[in-house]
């Protein structure tokens, strides 16, 4: 096992730390993943899942827009980085990372929380709430090392003055992930309820650009695997579609665009806050065919008639073990099983809502086989007389080829494994997040 070229010239204490630390904190989860994937793959995932995808991708909201104009706007925003249209996925714009540079070492250091560290690796600057402590007082305009705690035990208290000796590569307390310049003095950053940009990041392990606000009226940030469920769903103008767990709405507006904004897209979510985000996104995307409804999808059969939708999209709440970067996962086997059980309840409702001959697309952003191949196997077994797994076609085969086949020996028949799409980032320079997609056809009634 060797580190990929993406990390050449970077702070090498990060990959050394990533390789030495288990991705899954819980012993039972770690052992189960070794059983599912093998020890070497789990070891590789300890680095790859802690790094962001090697590219940044956006999807243009409207197929009717001039993609070249959007491309031009993105190029202006990201400087010298290469920007291009994806060769297969319509309206997808790919931003390649900038030139790799070694992280400079400065005298002063700030330590940020893990969630902030994950955002930094995706291209974000640092907002005041994410800063935990520092090695010294500092004013505006000071160069800073940016580090994260290596474990819960080394996480400083908010506002703590940290011993500078603990911030060296030889120590076990913190790991260097970026460098930046203070935009606020320390005393302001650490005030209760402080807001605003605290530190502007100048160097990262992967040189992704900040993308906040870039072409926001014409495109949105979206990972490539998340673009596939609407493509497999293949909605047509005039159809009636339901997105059962729709917020924050990226896939929903994609579906509406594929329908030419003609038809009906019912978008459900049980969170009022997230549904409001969906409404705002639909407005930005100018997709008026979307009807956002606050509702618990497990009870959708009480509000909408059976067999009333041409297409059903189900991207349910999941364990999120495919998200990148994720510095650690503290999830239990019981939680993974609960997610799978909840998803099965939703799959049953999806089947009842779908018209005979209609299509159901199921997707997750996790690499847990319980929620992926396991649920597909359960669905096909439970409703063998009502649903079939859709096989690849000439239209869909190129999209399946972007990922890999399903995992064998986790419940799904070997012949069926090639008819699902799985993304399991094998190395840190993979362009994808962890993801899973399966498409089903509801059988015509006899």
């Amino acid at each position: 096992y060797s580190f990929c070229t993406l990390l050449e010239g970077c702070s090498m204490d990060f990959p050394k730390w990533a390789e030495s630390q288990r991705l899954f904190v819980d012993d039972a989860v770690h052992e189960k993943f070794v059983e599912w994937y093998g020890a070497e793959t789990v070891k590789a995932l300890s680095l790859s899942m802690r790094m962001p995808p090697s590219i940044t991708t956006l999807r243009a909201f409207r197929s009717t827009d001039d993609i070249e104009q959007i491309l031009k706007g993105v190029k202006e925003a990201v400087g010298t980085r290469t920007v291009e249209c994806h060769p297969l996925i319509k309206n997808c714009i790919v931003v390649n990372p900038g030139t790799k540079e070694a992280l400079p070492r400065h005298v002063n250091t700030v330590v940020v929380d893990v969630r902030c560290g994950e955002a930094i690796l995706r291209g974000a600057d640092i907002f005041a709430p994410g800063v935990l402590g520092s090695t010294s007082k500092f004013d505006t305009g000071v160069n800073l090392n940016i580090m994260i705690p290596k474990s819960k035990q080394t996480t400083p208290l908010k506002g703590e003055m940290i011993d500078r000796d603990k911030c060296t590569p030889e120590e076990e307390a913190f790991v260097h992930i970026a460098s930046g310049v203070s935009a606020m003095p320390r005393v302001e950053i650490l005030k209760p309820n402080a807001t605003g940009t605290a530190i502007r990041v100048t160097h990262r392990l992967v040189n992704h650009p900040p993308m906040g606000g870039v072409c926001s009226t014409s495109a949105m940030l979206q990972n490539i695997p998340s673009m596939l469920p609407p493509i497999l769903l293949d909605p047509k103008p005039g159809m009636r579609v339901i997105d059962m767990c729709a917020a924050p709405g990226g896939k929903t507006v994609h579906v509406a665009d594929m329908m030419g904004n003609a038809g009906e897209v019912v978008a459900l979510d049980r969170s009022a806050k997230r549904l409001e985000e969906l409404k705002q996104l639909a407005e930005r995307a100018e997709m008026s065919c979307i009807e956002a409804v606050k509702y618990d999808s497990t009870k959708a059969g009480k509000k909408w008639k059976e067999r009333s939708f041409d297409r059903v999209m189900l991207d349910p709440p999941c364990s999120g073990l495919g998200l990148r970067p994720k510095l650690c996962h503290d999830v239990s086997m019981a939680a993974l099983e609960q997610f799978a059980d909840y998803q099965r309840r939703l799959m049953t409702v999806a089947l009842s809502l779908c018209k005979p001959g209609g299509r159901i697309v199921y997707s997750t952003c996790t690499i847990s086989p319980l929620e992926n191949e396991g649920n597909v196997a359960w669905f096909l077994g439970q409703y063998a007389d009502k649903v079939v797994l859709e096989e690849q076609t000439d239209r869909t085969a190129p999209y399946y080829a972007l990922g890999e086949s399903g995992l064998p020996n986790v419940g799904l028949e070997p012949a069926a494994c090639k008819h699902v799409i799985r993304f399991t980032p094998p190395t840190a320079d993979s362009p994808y997040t962890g993801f899973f997609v399966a498409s089903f056809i509801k059988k015509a009634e006899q």
Side-chain angles (χ1 to χ4, degrees):
Y1 170 65
S2 60
F3 297 118
C4 66
T5 56
L6 190 67
L7 293 171
E8 287 180 358
C10 291
S11 171
M12 292 313 294
D13 55 328
F14 181 87
K16 287 177 182 177
W17 165 78
E19 186 183 36
S20 67
Q21 297 293 315
R22 288 190 341 203
L23 181 64
F24 305 106
V25 175
D26 185 89
D27 289 340
V29 172
H30 174 77
E31 290 165 7
K32 197 65 179 176
F33 267 79
V34 170
E35 177 187 325
W36 284 329
Y37 285 95
E40 285 303 307
T41 297
V42 171
K43 183 179 179 182
L45 289 171
S46 292
L47 177 60
S48 66
M49 300 307 295
R50 287 177 165 124
M51 294 294 290
S54 61
I55 57 175
T56 301
T57 48
L58 305 92
R59 188 184 57 76
F61 287 134
R62 298 169 291 273
S63 299
T64 54
D65 285 356
D66 184 351
I67 193 68
E68 291 299 325
Q69 281 298 112
I70 301 173
L71 202 67
K72 180 180 178 182
V74 175
K75 287 179 178 178
E76 290 173 353
V78 302
T80 59
R81 295 172 178 85
T82 303
V83 181
E84 56 198 347
C85 289
H86 193 277
L88 175 62
I89 300 176
K90 185 178 180 181
N91 293 346
C92 176
I93 296 172
V94 178
V95 181
N96 292 291
T99 305
K100 296 187 292 288
E101 297 179 3
L103 295 181
R105 287 273 180 178
H106 301 301
V107 174
N108 298 306
T109 296
V110 294
V111 176
V112 300
D113 63 41
V114 167
R115 203 166 180 185
C116 179
E118 292 166 355
I120 291 167
L121 292 172
R122 285 303 304 253
D125 287 322
I126 300 172
F127 292 91
V131 178
L132 295 175
S134 67
T135 54
S136 62
K137 297 179 181 179
F138 56 82
D139 209 334
T140 303
V142 175
N143 291 323
L144 299 165
N145 305 313
I146 300 164
M147 299 190 179
I148 55 170
K150 287 187 176 179
S151 67
K152 288 183 178 179
Q153 290 72 29
T154 64
T155 300
L157 298 174
K158 184 74 173 181
E160 185 175 334
M161 196 67 79
I162 300 164
D163 183 349
R164 185 174 280 113
D165 290 339
K166 292 183 178 179
C167 299
T168 62
E170 295 75 27
E171 281 292 327
E172 297 299 319
F174 309 109
V175 61
H176 191 189
I177 64 165
S179 299
V181 178
S182 59
M184 297 165 60
R186 182 185 192 274
V187 66
E188 294 294 327
I189 292 172
L190 295 173
K191 281 183 177 179
N193 303 317
T195 59
T197 302
I199 300 166
R200 300 199 181 281
V201 179
T202 57
H203 299 79
R204 296 176 177 81
L205 288 175
V206 180
N207 195 4
H208 286 314
M211 297 296 292
V214 175
C215 298
S216 60
T217 60
S218 55
M220 63 173 289
L221 288 169
Q222 191 173 39
N223 294 307
I224 285 175
S226 296
M227 301 179 195
L228 299 189
I231 292 172
L232 295 194
L233 193 69
D234 194 27
K236 305 296 185 184
M239 281 187 170
R240 193 165 189 240
V241 179
I242 187 167
D243 187 349
M244 293 180 61
C245 304
K251 299 179 189 70
T252 316
V253 296
H254 191 177
V255 167
D257 177 56
M258 291 182 69
M259 295 167 63
N261 199 27
E264 182 184 4
V265 180
V266 177
L268 307 186
D269 205 272
R270 60 185 181 181
S271 165
K273 182 180 178 181
R274 285 168 56 82
L275 202 68
E276 186 58 37
E277 293 175 4
L278 186 152
K279 290 178 181 178
Q280 292 174 6
L281 182 64
E283 188 174 335
R284 276 171 50 204
E286 300 175 4
M287 295 297 156
S288 58
C289 71
I290 296 172
E291 178 191 2
V293 182
K294 182 180 180 297
Y295 206 79
D296 181 350
S297 287
T298 62
K299 302 173 183 176
K302 296 180 180 180
K303 187 174 178 66
W304 289 274
K305 293 180 180 179
E306 291 186 1
R307 304 181 295 277
S308 59
F309 291 94
D310 302 286
R311 300 283 189 269
V312 180
M313 186 157 64
L314 176 57
D315 187 75
C318 72
S319 58
L321 300 185
L323 300 177
R324 299 176 66 199
K326 206 68 180 168
L327 296 172
C328 70
H329 286 292
D330 195 3
V331 64
S332 66
M333 282 304 304
L336 294 181
E337 291 163 359
Q338 287 167 5
F339 275 117
D341 288 343
Y342 181 66
Q343 291 153 359
R344 291 178 182 187
R345 289 170 59 195
L346 290 169
M347 294 172 88
T348 297
V349 176
L351 182 60
S352 71
L353 294 173
C354 188
K355 291 179 180 179
R359 180 178 287 119
I360 302 166
V361 170
Y362 173 82
S363 62
T364 73
C365 58
T366 185
I367 56 174
S368 164
L370 289 180
E371 302 169 73
N372 296 335
E373 290 89 350
N375 273 353
V376 171
W378 172 85
F379 195 45
L380 295 174
Q382 188 76 8
Y383 300 105
D385 58 333
K386 295 182 179 180
V387 70
V388 294
L389 182 66
E390 187 171 18
E391 297 186 355
Q392 296 184 44
T393 65
D394 290 343
R395 182 186 75 84
T396 61
Y399 300 103
Y400 279 77
L402 294 175
E404 59 214 70
S405 297
L407 278 182
N409 306 318
V410 290
L412 196 59
E413 291 293 327
C417 285
K418 66 179 181 179
H419 298 302
V420 300
I421 312 176
R422 161 180 279 278
F423 292 89
T424 311
T427 60
D429 57 356
S430 168
Y432 305 125
T433 51
F435 207 81
F436 181 87
V437 193
S439 179
F440 305 92
I441 297 295
K442 185 172 181 177
K443 293 181 179 180
E445 294 182 335
Q446 302 298 321

